[in-house]
Amino acid sequence: MSAEGSGALSNNGQIVVSGLTKQYRNVRAVDNLSFVVEPGRVTGFLGPNGAGKTTTLRMVLNLVSPTSGTATISGHRYADVAEPLKLVGAILEASAAHKGRTARNHLRCVAAVGGFPTSRVDEVLELVGLTTAAKRKFRGYSLGMKQRLGIAQALLGNPQVLILDEPANGLDPEGIRWMRGLLQGLAQQGRTVLVSSHLLSEMEILADDVVIIAAGKLVTQGPMESIVGQGTTQAAVRVRTPNIQELVAAVREAGGAINPGSNGAHLVTGLDAPAVGKLALQSGVELHELVAEKPDLEHVFLELTQGRAAIR
Ligand SMILES: Nc1ncnc2c1ncn2[C@@H]1O[C@H](COP(=O)(O)OP(=O)(O)OP(=O)(O)O)[C@@H](O)[C@H]1O
């Protein structure tokens, strides 16, 4: 291995997945998958259940050996990195610790094994908001606290790259907001942050880039704005009116379609918001709401993964 391979910050932190494939006996969990994750950005790794996300992350971290293909971090396979904990911090599931041990003692043990200074333990406890709970025994920790402890552990080596599988699991809304701030802050420091999640609305706020896979294959990847803009979902205009019959007639005559939406609203497609407003005015229809709905990540995700979302 080269000298640069041992240094955590010696290379750029890019993750490159190239032709990665994992064949289990009956299932091709990951199928010729290629994508790149850039430093300085939060990348959301998305896919329906059984898409192969966890298997991919495990292959990147050398916990599962690929059938074919490669995954590198800063140009090196994880297995070839001399001090991997200084290069990559990862949580693949909520942290496990000895039940009778406190969070501080647990992290001290991990720090000792990893060769990190003990002072780093209190720093990471502070970073994840566990300082006041540091002396409590692990057995009393909620799932959210375990997630925070997992992140603290991942950050012990001050790694260039963070890989987190479903880190928001078990967090309450305040915890999710906290996690967003933490991960975005880490990316702003130039780190690579790769996060898998099922929470698409949260991902839309959190991630700069997206990689979407389904049935082991790449569906799309790119910056969040361009992925969301990729949705061919016909943009709808949400309207609310006490004169629905007149509006339905006017919309249909103008070549649009109108269907009931949620909470008494209706959704117009085939016409844009100014056209619907003008039609309403011309037809003497009173409007209580006129909103152009934008495609969001959830719409685009469902559209792109439709038919490939079978749970395998
Ligand atoms: N050790 C294994 N042996 C056999 N099949 C496996 C193994 N691990 C995963 N699989 C299968 O590979 C496929 C991909 O699983 P994986 O856990 O990677 O998907 P995922 O995208 O992380 O799913 P989820 O979002 O549900 O966690 C699934 O069909 C799963 O059943």
Side-chain angles (χ1 to χ4, degrees):
M1 190 192 51
S2 66
E4 304 92 84
S6 61
L9 299 170
S10 62
N11 212 321
N12 65 6
Q14 201 180 47
I15 302 173
V16 179
V17 167
S18 180
L20 210 55
T21 297
K22 181 66 190 179
Q23 178 74 45
Y24 288 111
R25 191 177 298 189
N26 300 318
V27 181
R28 184 159 284 229
V30 176
D31 192 356
N32 195 22
L33 182 61
S34 301
F35 61 86
V36 175
V37 181
E38 299 291 351
R41 300 174 72 78
V42 176
T43 299
F45 190 34
L46 312 176
N49 286 126
K53 301 180 294 295
T54 303
T55 306
T56 302
L57 298 182
R58 287 183 161 269
M59 286 194 280
V60 172
L61 295 166
N62 196 38
L63 295 167
V64 164
S65 52
T67 307
S68 57
T70 56
T72 59
I73 305 171
S74 292
H76 302 276
R77 290 188 319 148
Y78 187 84
D80 295 336
V81 179
E83 294 183 293
L85 298 182
K86 290 188 180 169
L87 176 64
V88 187
I91 26 170
L92 295 189
E93 49 204 49
S95 76
H98 188 284
K99 288 185 171 44
R101 208 173 259 169
T102 66
R104 181 177 278 128
N105 280 339
H106 169 70
L107 291 176
R108 280 186 176 161
C109 292
V110 180
V113 173
F116 311 129
T118 315
S119 59
R120 183 72 186 142
V121 169
D122 284 338
E123 281 172 27
V124 294
L125 282 168
E126 179 76 35
L127 257 177
V128 304
L130 280 182
T131 302
T132 53
K135 288 186 184 156
R136 274 169 56 186
K137 300 243 165 71
F138 186 75
R139 73 163 62 88
Y141 270 39
S142 65
L143 184 54
M145 289 165 86
K146 289 178 185 168
Q147 290 286 23
R148 287 177 189 246
L149 183 57
I151 292 176
Q153 184 171 327
L155 290 173
L156 266 178
N158 200 15
Q160 163 74 34
V161 177
L162 274 158
I163 297 180
L164 311 169
D165 197 9
E166 299 280 352
N169 261 1
L171 292 180
D172 58 18
E174 193 278 328
I176 289 177
R177 182 136 58 109
W178 161 80
M179 166 88 69
R180 188 190 311 150
L182 178 76
L183 298 184
Q184 288 175 335
L186 291 166
Q188 274 157 20
Q189 292 166 5
R191 291 171 215 266
T192 311
V193 182
L194 177 60
V195 193
S196 84
S197 178
H198 281 107
L199 306 174
L200 296 175
S201 53
E202 171 55 24
M203 208 37 112
E204 193 168 353
I205 312 175
L206 169 67
D208 305 299
D209 293 328
V210 200
V211 174
I212 300 180
I213 66 168
K217 293 191 166 90
L218 183 73
V219 174
T220 188
Q221 73 164 320
M224 180 66 80
E225 316 83 71
S226 69
I227 299 294
V228 171
Q230 202 174 329
T232 54
T233 311
Q234 225 180 4
V237 180
R238 192 171 68 241
V239 288
R240 221 176 272 275
T241 172
N243 316 121
I244 189 61
Q245 281 172 355
E246 291 84 340
L247 185 65
V248 167
V251 164
R252 287 189 179 151
E253 200 184 331
I258 179 162
N259 290 295
S262 53
N263 299 327
H266 281 73
L267 294 174
V268 178
T269 47
L271 298 171
D272 62 12
V276 176
K278 199 168 167 189
L279 265 186
L281 184 67
Q282 286 166 349
S283 323
V285 167
E286 188 179 321
L287 283 186
H288 293 177
E289 190 176 319
L290 176 70
V291 180
E293 296 208 321
K294 292 198 194 101
D296 59 9
L297 182 63
E298 186 172 341
H299 279 103
V300 176
F301 176 85
L302 291 173
E303 196 174 284
L304 292 176
T305 59
Q306 213 175 29
R308 301 205 244 174
I311 294 174
R312 304 183 302 156

